[in-house]
Each structure stands twice: as C-alpha cells, then as structure tokens.
Amino acid sequence: QAKSKRRGATLIFDDDMEKACNERLNLINKLRQDLSEERLYLVFQPKVNLINNRIIGAEALLRWNHEELGEVSPGVFVPIAEAAGLSFELDTFVFRSACKVLANHPELPEIAINISPLSLNRRELLPILSGILQQYGIDKHRISLEITEGCFVQGEGCKANIAKLHEQGWSLHLDDFGTGYSSFGYLLDLPVSVIKIDRIFTWGLSKCDRSERLLGGMVNMLKGMKKQVLIEGLETEEQLVSAVAAGLEMAQGYLFYKPLTLDAFTLALKEQAVA
Ligand code: C2E
Ligand code: MG
Ligand code: MG
Ligand code: MG
C-alpha cells in the first residue's frame, strides 16, 4: 500500500512538472510567434533633468500583450527570451521599432534602447544596428544603448563590441548600476558616458540618512570619473529631495512619468514646450 501511495505522489509531482514545462514551452512559442508578427510594442519612460525639470530623453521599454494571459511583464518574458535564444531577435526588434518612431518624429529627444548581454556578445550586432539606422535614415546620436554589468561575465565578444561601439561614436549608458559586479575599478576603462544607478538605492532614501550619504558618495566618485549620473525609480518627493542633496542631476521614475504610449509621450513633450 505504501508503494502505491508513493507512486501516486510521484505521479502528481511529474504532472506538475510537465504542466510547468508545457506552460513555459507554450509561452516561448507564443513569444516567438508574436515577435515575428511584430505584435509586441514599445512604451517610453521620460528621463528628466532635476535642475530644470525638463525631459531630456526617454527609455524604450518593451510590452507584450499575450492573447490569453494579457500583459506579461518584461521582468518575466525577457529572461525567458534569453533562455530560449530569442534575445537577439527581441533586442533588434526593439531597436528597429525605435528607429521607425524616430524617423516619423524628428522632434523626439534621445531614445535609450536596452541591449541584453547576450546580444552584446554577438558578432553581427554592429553591422545589424548600422544597417537598421541606414534603412530608416537615423543619426546614431539620437539613440543611446543601455548595457548592464552582466556583459562582463559574457566574455570577450562583449568587450570587443563595447570598444567598437564607442569607436564608432555610439552613446553607451550603464544600466542597473550597483546590482552586479560593481567595482569602481572597471568603470575607469568602460566607455560609458552615463551611469544609471539602480532603483534599489532609491528605496533606502527617505528611510535613513545613511542611504543618502552612501548615494552622495557614489555620485561624487562617479562624477570624479567624469560620468554623468542618473537615478532610477524615484517615486516620492522625499526621495527627490534626497537625490538632489546627493548631487544627482538626472532621474527617471513614477514621480515624474510612468512609461508612456508614444502619443502620451509626444503630448508630454508638447506640454513642456508651452510651459
Ligand atoms: P530596466 O532597464 O532597469 O528598466 C526600468 C524598469 O523600472 C522598467 O520596468 C520601468 O517601468 C521600471 N520603473 C521605472 N520607474 C519606476 C519607479 O518609479 N518605480 C518602480 N517600481 N519601477 C519603475 P519594466 O518596463 O517592467 O522593465 C523591467 C526590465 O525588463 C528592464 O529594467 C529591462 O531589464 C527589461 N526590459 C524592458 N524592456 C526591455 C527591452 O526592450 N529589451 C531588453 N533587453 N530588456 C528590456
Ligand atoms: Mg534600462
Ligand atoms: Mg535600469
Ligand atoms: Mg533596473
């Protein structure tokens, strides 16, 4: 009897595993299909100058409205795409979509595109990006590329591409700073103009003075390295006050704008133009 019970338990376990596997496979297949049919879309989260409160650019963020599941967060589908070998397709889709938008809207400020470490490791990356720019007649100075510290574990391909991108005049920003392998040492050699401090550092602000001092120290050191610094995830006035006290001049966060549809973004730009 004990034996059959155990077999029963094993069966249930296997069923669950199989179900989870199938769900994941279905998600991957659907993502692959929707990506090839260009059913994903971009939203734009403005970046703000804290000194004059003006929009200085925006980050393009990918959205996926799944037929049955509704909106799936990029926090969920980006890692799945990476594991399924789809990240290069995904990143080039975002880049191409952003170029189309820039071609139709000459008034837009700089748009930032997230590039996964896996894409940054690919040999074809630069020729493909340049080809898309050319196809839509876009100047690369209208775009910045957000890379992460994850690149440093990807190896030589990434390093070579970063060096080439810099040589060719691309603007590179380091995303999610402080969550990875942050040693200040490697930053000296990294050709990024802007450092985006991750929002985990924002959370502590307004809760304790120590976080504000830590942030101030980081900002000073980064400015000493001739980097521009932006803080992510500002949500409250208190955090804003602390961020300004820490010496920050740029930010992104719900306090200013959530990620916006293209229409809402162009409207926000018009509103500030008359203000
Ligand atoms: P990320 O590049 O660090 O993007 C910032 C994320 O923080 C976005 O979430 C944004 O909506 C969110 N955020 C901005 N301000 C606030 C705030 O004040 N409070 C809070 N709680 N969150 C805020 P999202 O759009 O869900 O993206 C999550 C991550 O998914 C991104 O982090 C990025 O790593 C990845 N991702 C999103 N779009 C793309 C894409 O087009 N390509 C690639 N490769 N990755 C993407
Ligand atoms: Mg980003
Ligand atoms: Mg970020
Ligand atoms: Mg982040």
Side-chain angles (χ1 to χ4, degrees), residues 239-254:
Q239 290 168 347
L240 171 61
V241 170
S242 296
V244 171
L248 280 149
E249 283 151 19
M250 296 186 287
Q252 213 179 320
Y254 295 169

Side-chain angles (χ1 to χ4, degrees), residues 59 114 146 175 196:
E59 177 175 8
N114 291 285
E146 294 192 5
D175 203 357
K196 298 183 74 178

Side-chain angles (χ1 to χ4, degrees), residues 85-247:
L86 285 174
S87 51
F88 191 65
E89 235 179 299
L90 190 139
D91 287 351
T92 49
F93 168 77
V94 173
F95 188 84
R96 193 178 310 110
S97 308
C99 283
K100 279 184 204 168
V101 167
L102 285 168
N104 290 328
H105 295 269
E107 79 281 11
L108 290 188
E110 185 183 277
I111 302 294
I113 316 286
N114 291 285
I115 301 288
S116 129
L118 293 170
S119 303
L120 204 57
N121 207 22
R122 297 274 286 256
R123 241 175 229 288
E124 328 84 283
L125 180 70
L126 273 78
I128 287 189
L129 296 189
S130 304
I132 297 172
L133 280 186
Q134 216 167 27
Q135 186 186 347
Y136 292 98
I138 303 298
D139 186 329
K140 63 166 81 77
H141 297 112
R142 298 184 66 195
I143 292 175
S144 57
L145 303 178
E146 294 192 5
I147 63 174
T148 63
E149 294 165 287
C151 298
F152 307 112
V153 291
Q154 280 300 319
E156 295 308 311
C158 276
K159 278 188 205 147
N161 271 339
I162 290 172
K164 265 190 250 163
L165 285 164
H166 177 61
E167 243 171 62
Q168 295 182 5
W170 289 86
S171 158
L172 301 175
H173 298 183
L174 185 65
D175 203 357
D176 301 340
F177 178 76
T179 58
Y181 310 86
S182 321
S183 100
F184 281 94
Y186 76 82
L187 277 182
L188 282 172
D189 297 324
L190 194 67
V192 292
S193 52
V194 177
I195 309 287
K196 298 183 74 178
I197 296 181
D198 193 78
R199 65 171 188 269
I200 56 167
F201 291 94
T202 311
W203 288 341
L205 291 176
S206 74
K207 291 201 182 67
C208 67
D209 291 351
R210 256 197 307 169
S211 327
E212 191 176 311
R213 282 203 302 276
L214 170 68
L215 187 63
M218 272 169 65
V219 172
N220 270 335
M221 192 128 52
L222 294 169
K223 283 183 171 174
M225 294 174 170
K226 299 282 175 266
K227 306 294 186 191
Q228 292 175 270
V229 194
L230 177 148
I231 185 142
E232 300 186 304
L234 277 197
E235 292 181 357
T236 69
E237 288 290 339
E238 264 179 304
Q239 290 168 347
L240 171 61
V241 170
S242 296
V244 171

